[in-house]
Amino acid sequence: MNSKGLDYTLLTLVIIGAINWGLIGFFRFDLVAFLFGDMSWLSRIIYAVVGISGLYIISTYGRIRSVDQA
């Protein structure tokens, strides 16, 4: 998988995480817990992957800046 494909995949996971946080904030509804169980091993993996994706997406800021300067 090239870097662009990885970027889009992880950005999609971060968007899903943001939607989940929006649901929690507005409606007190945790979609991940509803679908996979409250802190089951699968839901914990999903939370961890979304968190790691968010950390990776931070690196896109540096790449955007370098493209703008080119």
Side-chain angles (χ1 to χ4, degrees), residues 27-53:
F27 306 112
R28 292 184 180 181
F29 178 71
D30 187 349
L31 184 62
V32 174
F34 176 76
L35 293 175
F36 302 106
D38 189 25
M39 292 310 281
S40 68
W41 63 272
L42 187 56
S43 65
R44 291 182 68 190
I45 290 171
I46 292 170
Y47 289 129
V49 168
V50 169
I52 291 169
S53 300

Side-chain angles (χ1 to χ4, degrees), residues 14-34:
V14 169
I15 290 169
I16 291 169
I19 291 169
N20 190 53
W21 275 110
L23 288 171
I24 292 170
F26 287 117
F27 306 112
R28 292 184 180 181
F29 178 71
D30 187 349
L31 184 62
V32 174
F34 176 76

Side-chain angles (χ1 to χ4, degrees), residues 11 17 19 28 37 57 67:
L11 182 59
I19 291 169
R28 292 184 180 181
I57 291 299
V67 169

